[in-house]
Amino acid sequence: MLTINVAVLLAVIVVWRLRRRTEARSRFDEKVTVVIVLALGVLLGPTPVGQGILDILGQLASGVTQAGR
């Protein structure tokens, strides 16, 4: 249960950071955002929510591949 709460907190932080204007971001700020997003992915990956997202993205990628042929 603790993992889900940390994941929710990280998701809120990511949304808050990405709402800022692009011009206002430094390279360090962008790197920190990437690290936070990676940590969020690691936390969500083994959960049922993470598996659902993986399935949806897999189906989307498969559809795009099929449409490209």
Side-chain angles (χ1 to χ4, degrees):
M1 190 66 179
L2 180 63
T3 302
I4 298 299
N5 292 336
V6 172
V8 170
L9 176 64
L10 284 176
V12 169
I13 291 171
V14 167
V15 169
W16 177 67
R17 291 178 69 84
L18 291 179
R19 289 190 59 192
R20 293 175 47 200
R21 291 189 353 209
T22 304
E23 297 85 22
R25 296 184 197 150
S26 66
R27 285 200 183 261
F28 178 75
D29 193 32
E30 290 177 355
K31 289 178 185 178
V32 169
T33 302
V34 168
V35 169
I36 292 171
V37 169
L38 286 173
L40 179 62
V42 168
L43 290 175
L44 283 180
T47 65
V49 172
Q51 294 300 315
I53 292 170
L54 180 64
D55 290 340
I56 291 170
L57 290 177
Q59 290 174 1
L60 180 66
S62 177
V64 169
T65 303
Q66 294 292 331
R69 291 184 183 175

